Amino acid sequence: MEKLVIEGGVPLRGEVNIGGAKNAALPVMTASILSPGENIVSNVPNLKDIATMGKLLARLGIGFQFSGDKVTLKTDNITSVEAPYDLVRTMRASVLILCPLVARMGEAKVSLPGGCAIGARPINLHLMGLEKMGAEIHLTEGYVHVKARRLKGASIYFDIPTVTGTENLMMAASLADGVTMLENAAMEPEVVDLANVLIKMGAEIQGAGTSVIRINGVENLKPFNYRIIPDRIEAGTFLAAAGITGGDIKIKNCNFSHLDAMVIKLKEAGLIINQESDGVRVKGPERLKPVDVKTMPYPGFPTDMQAQFMTLMSIADGTSLITESIFENRFMHVAELKRMGANIKIQGATATVRGIPSLTGAPVMATDLRASASLVIAGLAAKGTTVVDRVYHLDRGYEQIEEKLKPLGAKIKRIR
Ligand code: EPZ
């Protein structure tokens, strides 16, 4: 089991480059299923989840190669329509192969994702949409088995704006017979990135990035070559790291317009954040101010930044209320932060964070991807040494985070 050992108290200084967005790369990789040929995705981060998706696509007969930041996907021969439990259970995003497979092959058999640390994470809305498009759906032995000779356009309303649900059904609709309307659709930048790829492939899509997306199905699509957007959550995580250490860093290769809600809330907390010609300059204050936050679907404050923001508030000069409205169990980092001295009380979906002067280093355990990032940030600011265990959670979403933090002055090392 690998661990990260962090000596806290060093204000971060210098420049950091943001990698490609994991949650754009994953759906874009599955879009390659929709057409035979050779597809290239660039600016892909070297993360465990990307390798897992590559393994899953290879199981379907797709030629997967990953070198540098380029993923090549050869999709001429799909030899299987089945995604086995052993792969799906390690990554919820596996569900994204369901719709492209049904659209291209007329059938898909995907293991139900099962829950994960942050919640049950059902896929009922994905299946509801497929059913409206005329698919036959059977749930047997933990697998969802979907069949449809050709999907038909339909009007689909999401009770909850679901990111992968919107992505999955946008892919299904691209090759369906007729027009599909997705209402109360997710508006995340990663949804827009996928729509841009599908349009490059020849799909007819309007409204991506708004809550109503109109897709006019076409007969077939062609392969693509596409560079994905930067990771807004990685960028937000480095903004938070500069904020909590009183640092002064420049974040390069990020898309500032994707950071809106995060920048607004971090500025309220006292950070100075400005867009400059070659990146985003961020300075942390002497003492952070308390700020209330509620996570919401994009363009609201992202749930994937909730844990990182809570860490900042744990040493703010006052009390903050942090409400998690997307997932039912996304406070696992609280117990670990309390081991470092944080004063946090949870009532239902809201955590009351009473700021203390500073955190104290301790051995802590990562539980899910973004929670583990919040513990690294806590370690950067804490007095003394913090050891973060189970960093495989971190590696799912951050490419060698310690290699990006060391040049900024952080005293951090990975031990086995
Ligand atoms: C995506 O997950 C992201 N993953 C998550 O990032 C992110 O936290 C989440 O969106 C919210 O922004 C990828 O894009 C691969 P949802 P997703 O469907 O699509 C409920 C990371 O580590 N729901 O938008 O799975 C669901 O339970 C991950 O980067 C249903 O009830 O999330 C949740 O409460 C963590 N039925 C809410 O909707 C459904 O059919 C939002 O989920 C689908 C979702």
Side-chain angles (χ1 to χ4, degrees), residues 49-344:
D49 275 11
I50 302 294
T52 304
M53 182 58 85
K55 267 193 217 125
L56 189 55
L57 295 173
R59 288 271 182 100
L60 306 178
I62 290 170
F64 166 71
Q65 277 174 328
F66 189 7
S67 70
D69 75 345
K70 273 188 183 39
V71 162
T72 307
L73 297 158
K74 292 196 175 78
T75 53
D76 293 300
N77 309 308
I78 305 280
T79 54
S80 162
V81 293
E82 185 164 332
Y85 179 59
D86 65 309
L87 275 178
V88 172
R89 72 186 167 84
T90 62
M91 184 180 66
R92 169 182 168 75
S94 311
V95 70
L96 284 164
I97 67 168
L98 182 66
C99 287
L101 269 181
V102 176
R104 163 106 182 256
M105 307 299 287
E107 185 181 6
K109 200 164 180 258
V110 178
S111 161
L112 283 167
C116 79
I118 60 178
R121 304 188 69 182
I123 58 167
N124 59 306
L125 299 174
H126 301 234
L127 301 179
M128 174 275 294
L130 276 170
E131 209 151 25
K132 283 192 186 292
M133 297 178 78
E136 210 186 295
I137 297 175
H138 302 284
L139 300 183
T140 46
E141 297 147 24
Y143 277 77
V144 58
H145 193 179
V146 183
K147 280 187 179 163
R149 213 181 345 281
R150 185 174 184 200
L151 293 167
K152 293 188 306 301
S155 193
I156 296 165
Y157 173 80
F158 293 113
D159 299 342
I160 311 173
T162 156
V163 174
T164 48
T166 302
E167 292 166 345
N168 233 339
L169 289 160
M170 208 161 55
M171 291 192 277
S174 295
L175 284 176
D177 177 12
V179 173
T180 297
M181 299 297 287
L182 300 181
E183 308 203 32
N184 199 23
M187 303 189 270
E188 271 68 3
E190 294 76 26
V191 172
V192 177
D193 223 23
L194 174 64
N196 290 339
V197 169
L198 293 169
I199 290 165
K200 259 192 112 166
M201 295 173 80
E204 292 173 18
I205 300 176
Q206 287 146 351
T210 74
S211 59
V212 179
I213 304 177
R214 184 184 188 280
I215 305 109
N216 181 23
V218 295
E219 293 298 317
N220 49 52
L221 295 166
K222 54 187 190 302
F224 63 86
N225 183 333
Y226 190 77
R227 180 179 177 77
I228 56 162
I229 54 173
D231 191 317
R232 61 194 167 96
I233 303 303
E234 186 188 21
T237 303
F238 278 97
L239 286 172
I244 201 168
T245 58
D248 177 355
I249 68 173
K250 176 163 288 179
I251 298 175
K252 308 188 79 164
N253 314 328
C254 76
N255 183 326
F256 194 63
S257 65
H258 293 161
L259 311 180
D260 269 359
M262 292 182 245
V263 168
I264 290 166
K265 285 296 177 180
L266 288 167
K267 280 182 171 176
E268 277 179 37
L271 278 73
I272 298 167
I273 305 173
N274 291 301
Q275 188 176 21
E276 297 181 352
S277 56
D278 60 345
V280 176
R281 181 79 178 274
V282 53
K283 284 185 189 162
E286 271 304 300
R287 185 80 195 271
L288 290 155
K289 297 193 199 85
V291 175
D292 293 347
V293 154
K294 180 175 182 188
T295 65
M296 292 298 280
Y298 193 89
F301 189 90
T303 171
D304 290 351
M305 274 296 296
Q306 178 257 107
Q308 298 90 313
F309 197 82
M310 187 184 289
T311 299
L312 261 71
M313 292 301 101
S314 71
I315 57 168
D317 185 15
T319 298
S320 318
L321 296 179
I322 297 185
T323 303
E324 171 56 56
S325 68
I326 307 288
F327 290 111
E328 66 269 26
N329 180 25
R330 202 166 195 178
F331 282 145
M332 266 85 55
H333 46 287
V334 171
E336 300 306 310
L337 288 174
K338 288 167 86 163
R339 292 170 49 75
M340 299 177 74
N343 180 343
I344 305 171

Side-chain angles (χ1 to χ4, degrees), residues 5-11 245 361 376-386 411:
V5 180
I6 308 163
E7 297 299 329
V10 179
T245 58
V376 170
I377 291 176
L380 292 172
K383 282 192 170 48
T385 307
T386 300
K411 291 193 189 112

